[in-house]
Amino acid sequence: MIALLKFGRSIGTAAGIFALILAVAALAASPAGGGPIPPEVSDGARDWPLPNGDYENTRAAAGSAINSENVGELGVVWSFPIPGIGAYGAAASNPIIVGDVVYFQDLRCNVFALDLETGDPIWSRFYNVTEVVGPNGPAVGWGKVFVAKDLYNVTALDAGTGEEVWTTRLSEVATTGIDIQPSVYAGLVYVSTVPGTGDVFYAPGGIGVISALDAETGDIVWEFSTVDSPDLWGNPGVNSGGGAWYPPAVDVETGITFWGTGNPAPFPGTEEWPSGTSRPGPNLYTDSLVALDHATGDMIWYHQVLPHDLFDHDFQISPILAERDSGGRSQKVVYGAGKMGKVYAFDRTSGELLWSAVVGRYDEAAQLDVLPEGTTRIYPGVLGGVETPMAYSDGVLYVPVVNLFTDWTPTSLDTSTIDFNNGTGELVAIDASTGKILWIRSFETMALGGATVINDLVFAAEYDGTIHAFRAETGEEVWEMRAPAGINGWPAVAGETIVWPAGVGADPKLVAFRLGGAAEAAAGEDETDEGDEDEAVPGPTAQVAGSSAEEAPSTVLTVHEIPLEAAGWAADGVISEGEYSKNLTLSGGRYVVSWRNDGETLYMGLAGQAEGFVAIGFEPTQAMKDADMVMGWVSGGEATVLDLYSTGVYGPHPPDEELGGTDDILSFGGREADGWTVIEFERRMDTGDRFDQAFRPGETVNIIWSISSTDSLEIRHNVGRGGGRISLEG
C-alpha cells in the first residue's frame, strides 16, 4: 500500500518544513540544559543504555570484546533470581546497562539495580502488579530510571537510590494500560498505552495513545492517538485498537521518531459483526509505521501495511534505522516488522515502500479482509510472526520468527489450538538493500529471545532456553548454551558481558555470561566435585524449568509449629516430613507444591505465603485456558477445596459440576497460620471426567499456580501467580 502523508507528499511541504523547524529547535532541549541525548546514553557507547542498544534500534554491540574466536569462553558468572512471575513468565524485556549498573524490571513491575560485575542488588523497588504482560522494562536518563509502575502510571525513580521522584497517570480507562518499555530523548520520556490490561484485552472503547512526558516533572508534553477516528470507526461500543508495544527509533539528526503500531479489534469479529464489519475501512493508524516529530507529536507521515486487520497481526516491532545503497547513492531507510510475518523497508523521508519480504511460515489467507464460513487455519497465528526485536549490522537484518498457527472463524478464534509446545522458530538473515534472504537457521521451539549482533556473531534464543551464536555472514553455529530457564526476553551487552533474562518456568533468573566464565565454572566444578550439587553454576545442560527438590523448604515444614511426623499421607494441612516424595519451590519460596503418587492416586499439598486461597492448574493450553484446576482456602478453621476448570485464557474457572462434570476431590484439609495457607488433597490419577487431566505415572505435567490474600472465587490472584513443571513418580 502506498504511504499516505498527513502533511503532503514529503516533509518538503510547508507543514513538513514547520515540523522540521520545531524538531531542530527542540534538539537543544534537556532537563540539564545540555544536548538532547542523556549523558547516560552519550557517555555509554560501550554500555547498553537504551532498550535496543542505540537510538537506531540496531541491537549491535560492536564495542564488545566477544567474537567468533573467543565465544567458547563464555560462561555464567552470576545469576539473579527474578521474583515477579506473571502470566507470561517473569521477564519479557531488555535490561539496561549504564556503567557498572544493570537496571531490570520483571513482569510484576518490580525494578532492580544490580552490580554488573557480581549481580548483587544495589537497590530494589517492589510493585508486585499481577496484570501486566509486557514487554515492559526501564529507561535511564538524567539521573533517573523511568518505568511503568503498573498498568496506568509512569514513574521516575532516582537512579542511585530507587526512590520515587514523580508519577504520572496516563490512562483513566480500566481496560487500557501500559505494556511498553519507555525510551528517552531531548528531555522527554516516550511511552504508549494499548487497549489491553492483562486479563482484559481489546475491550470496547480502548484506544492506544503515544505520549511524551517531561523527564523532570512528569508533565504530559504531547499525545498522539493511534486511532484516527475518535468514535473508533463508528462503533465505540464494540471496537478498540492501536497503541505501541515496543520503543520507537529516533533519528537524532532530524528529531523524528518512528513507531510501529498495534492491531484493531475485535478480531476477527463478533456474532453480530463478523469479519470486522463493526469497523469498516482500513482502521487507521493500526498496523502502521508512523513518523512523529519528537518535540510536538505531529505526524510527518504514516504507512499502513495491513488495512482492516482481522488476525491480531500487529506491526509492533521497534523500527530500525539504517542506510542502504541505492544505485550508487546512500538512502536513509527505516525497517519494520510484526506478527503478520513480513519485514518492510521504507524510505525514511517519505514513507515510500522500498521492499517487503516474507519470513517464516506464511499463508496468503493472512491478507483476507473477509473470512469464509467454517474454520480457516492461518500462519502466522496471533502469537506468531516476528514477535521479538530484530537486529541490524553491516547491511544485513537479522529477524527472529515464530511459526505458530491459529484457527479462525468469521466470529472467533479457537484458543484451544494455540499450543506453545507446537511452535517452532527461525532466525532469518536478510539483505537490507534488496530484501533478499541470505540464510535461515531453524529452531525446534519458538524464537522469542530477539536477535543481537556482537561483532561477527548474531545471538538468538529459543523458548526452551537454548541460546545460539551464529556467524553473522554465513549462519554457521559456533556456540550454544542452555539457560537455567526458558527465554521470552532479549539481552543487553557491555564489554565482555551478556546479561540475558531467562524468565519462563519455575526458576526464572537474570543470567550474566562473560568471557572467562566457562573456565571459572569448570574450576568451580572441580573444587566442589564432592560438595552440594545445588551450588554448581548452571551450564549448557541445566534444566529449563520445573526441576523438583527432594527436601521441602524448612519454612513450610515449621510454619505451624507442629511436630514433624515421618508418617503416611493425611489431609490435615500439615506438610510433614516423609509425607511427600517430591516438591517444587516457586517465586522465591512464596509458593510450594508437594506431591506423591502411585498408579491410582495423586496426593498433593499446596503452600502459599498468603492468607487467602492457593491454587494449581494442570496443562493449560494458553495462560489459564483449559486448565484442570484445584483451589482451596481456610476460613474459620474450616478448609474449602474446589475442583475447577478454566474455560478461557484468563478464566472464568467454574466448578466442574457447573459444566456437567463431577467433583473428583476424594478428601482434603487445610490450615492457615503465620501468614501461610496450606491445602492438601487427593484425587484419582485418571478420574474419567473430561474436565480433569488424566495423569500417567512418570510423565511431566505443565502447571500454573496462584495465591491470593482473599478467600473468594471472584477475587483475582493478587499476591502471586506463575507456571512450572512437575514430574510424577514412575
Side-chain angles (χ1 to χ4, degrees):
M1 179 178 180
I2 296 176
L4 303 177
L5 307 181
K6 182 178 181 181
F7 294 134
R9 291 303 304 167
S10 78
I11 58 174
T13 62
I17 291 172
F18 178 67
L20 270 183
I21 292 172
L22 289 175
V24 173
L27 287 178
S30 82
I37 300 176
E40 292 88 345
V41 178
S42 59
D43 298 341
R46 290 185 175 270
D47 301 331
W48 198 274
L50 291 162
N52 290 303
D54 51 38
Y55 282 117
E56 294 80 15
N57 290 325
T58 66
R59 300 196 57 80
S64 172
I66 301 165
N67 57 48
S68 60
E69 298 299 319
N70 60 25
V71 66
E73 300 172 17
L74 282 177
V76 177
V77 292
W78 57 258
S79 63
F80 175 76
I82 304 174
I85 302 176
Y88 291 89
S93 66
N94 207 112
I96 296 293
I97 301 176
V98 175
D100 56 1
V101 181
V102 178
Y103 299 95
F104 174 71
Q105 185 177 36
D106 67 24
L107 277 177
R108 294 283 297 274
C109 290
N110 305 316
V111 188
F112 308 93
L114 309 175
D115 185 283
L116 175 62
E117 180 67 23
T118 65
D120 294 334
I122 299 170
W123 55 257
S124 304
R125 172 65 60 174
F126 286 89
Y127 293 112
N128 287 317
V129 178
T130 60
E131 295 87 358
V132 296
V133 298
N136 58 353
V140 180
W142 308 290
K144 301 180 184 67
V145 179
F146 306 98
V147 297
K149 65 184 283 186
D150 54 32
L151 291 170
Y152 311 110
N153 292 283
V154 175
T155 292
L157 307 174
D158 184 284
T161 66
E163 296 298 317
E164 289 193 359
V165 179
W166 53 255
T167 294
T168 299
R169 188 176 180 96
L170 290 187
S171 174
E172 300 296 336
V173 179
T175 58
T176 299
I178 310 163
D179 281 301
I180 193 174
Q181 183 168 14
S183 193
V184 289
Y185 179 71
L188 300 175
V189 183
Y190 299 98
V191 293
S192 180
T193 58
V194 288
T197 56
D199 286 8
V200 183
F201 263 62
Y202 296 97
I207 294 177
V209 176
I210 296 170
S211 301
L213 312 182
D214 186 292
E216 278 292 287
T217 65
D219 294 339
I220 298 174
V221 176
W222 58 256
E223 293 181 323
F224 174 82
S225 175
T226 61
V227 171
D228 73 334
S229 167
D231 68 348
L232 271 164
W233 313 299
N235 204 335
V238 178
N239 299 335
S240 62
W245 292 90
Y246 283 86
V250 181
D251 186 331
V252 297
E253 293 182 0
T254 64
I256 297 175
T257 64
F258 299 86
W259 301 76
T261 64
N263 60 282
F267 51 87
T270 66
E271 291 293 335
E272 184 179 1
W273 305 97
S275 292
T277 49
S278 62
R279 45 180 177 87
N283 307 143
L284 295 171
Y285 302 103
T286 63
D287 295 329
S288 299
L289 190 70
V290 294
L292 306 179
D293 179 86
H294 86 279
T296 65
D298 290 335
M299 184 167 64
I300 310 301
W301 58 259
Y302 75 90
H303 193 123
Q304 187 179 49
V305 298
L306 184 59
H308 196 70
D309 174 16
L310 297 183
F311 306 117
D312 189 20
H313 277 166
D314 310 68
F315 196 57
Q316 84 286 1
I317 294 301
S318 286
I320 292 177
L321 305 183
E323 296 186 19
R324 72 161 189 163
D325 180 77
S326 177
R329 67 179 182 88
S330 179
Q331 181 180 26
K332 294 183 181 296
V333 182
V334 54
Y335 301 95
K339 289 161 57 178
M340 74 286 295
K342 287 185 175 182
V343 180
Y344 294 81
F346 307 94
D347 181 277
R348 204 188 306 177
T349 301
S350 66
E352 176 190 359
L353 178 64
L354 304 176
W355 57 255
S356 66
V358 170
V359 290
R361 186 165 177 180
Y362 180 84
D363 296 329
E364 290 299 327
Q367 299 287 333
L368 289 173
D369 56 10
V370 176
L371 274 162
E373 291 301 317
T375 298
T376 303
R377 174 163 293 182
I378 293 176
Y379 280 91
V382 293
L383 296 174
V386 186
E387 287 278 356
T388 57
M390 306 181 291
Y392 170 89
S393 180
D394 294 328
V396 180
L397 287 165
Y398 301 94
V399 186
V401 183
V402 173
N403 294 318
L404 188 67
F405 67 81
T406 297
D407 285 350
W408 302 87
T409 73
T411 61
S412 66
L413 69 158
D414 185 353
T415 57
S416 69
T417 64
I418 303 173
D419 185 349
F420 289 177
N421 295 320
N422 289 337
T424 62
E426 299 177 14
L427 181 66
V428 182
I430 300 177
D431 185 313
S433 291
T434 64
K436 177 184 177 181
I437 292 177
L438 302 176
W439 54 258
I440 301 173
R441 294 295 308 221
S442 298
F443 306 133
E444 293 184 1
T445 66
M446 297 182 293
L448 292 176
T452 304
V453 177
I454 308 178
N455 293 312
D456 61 344
L457 297 173
V458 56
F459 285 74
E462 299 183 57
Y463 185 63
D464 72 353
T466 305
I467 300 173
H468 304 269
F470 305 101
R471 293 190 189 276
E473 184 176 358
T474 65
E476 174 194 359
E477 185 170 58
V478 296
W479 181 81
E480 178 183 300
M481 177 171 279
R482 189 73 169 268
I487 289 177
N488 184 28
W490 29 103
V493 183
E496 299 184 347
T497 306
I498 304 173
V499 181
W500 208 312
V504 178
D507 190 23
K509 288 181 171 67
L510 186 66
V511 183
F513 303 91
R514 185 173 297 149
L515 291 179
E520 292 178 22
E525 290 172 5
D526 290 341
E527 292 172 7
T528 60
D529 244 0
E530 298 180 6
D532 185 351
E533 292 183 1
D534 289 339
E535 298 296 325
V537 178
T541 59
Q543 292 186 353
V544 174
S547 58
S548 59
E550 294 301 324
E551 295 183 26
S554 59
T555 52
V556 178
L557 290 171
T558 60
V559 66
H560 301 302
E561 298 181 356
I562 292 175
L564 304 181
E565 301 173 358
W569 185 82
D572 54 9
V574 179
I575 298 178
S576 302
E577 187 174 8
E579 190 173 13
Y580 297 97
S581 60
K582 293 188 174 185
N583 70 79
L584 176 63
T585 305
L586 299 164
S587 191
R590 294 189 305 156
Y591 181 93
V592 182
V593 54
S594 305
W595 69 97
R596 65 188 293 183
N597 66 273
D598 52 32
E600 299 295 328
T601 307
L602 172 68
Y603 305 90
M604 185 161 282
L606 310 176
Q609 194 173 6
E611 295 180 342
F613 68 70
V614 294
I616 191 169
F618 305 107
E619 293 294 349
T621 55
Q622 180 196 4
M624 294 173 61
K625 173 72 172 169
D626 300 318
D628 168 17
M629 299 180 65
V630 176
M631 172 186 288
W633 62 83
V634 179
S635 179
E638 295 293 324
T640 299
V641 175
L642 302 176
D643 185 3
L644 311 172
Y645 182 83
S646 180
T647 59
V649 174
Y650 297 105
H653 37 70
D656 290 6
E657 291 172 295
E658 291 185 10
L659 299 172
T662 56
D663 182 351
D664 293 293
I665 305 298
L666 300 177
S667 64
F668 63 85
R671 290 176 186 253
E672 185 178 85
D674 302 329
W676 282 81
T677 298
V678 177
I679 292 293
E680 295 184 290
F681 66 92
E682 66 171 316
R683 52 154 283 187
R684 297 294 184 194
M685 293 279 281
D686 186 353
T687 67
D689 185 346
R690 66 188 181 96
F691 298 106
D692 290 335
Q693 182 69 27
F695 300 124
R696 297 183 301 274
E699 74 172 333
T700 297
V701 179
N702 294 310
I703 66 167
I704 55 175
W705 62 272
S706 63
I707 50 181
S708 175
S709 62
T710 60
D711 305 334
S712 172
L713 275 171
E714 306 304 319
I715 303 299
R716 297 161 102 176
H717 29 66
N718 61 351
V719 175
R721 65 179 179 181
R725 298 176 187 167
I726 62 174
S727 297
L728 299 178
E729 295 178 279

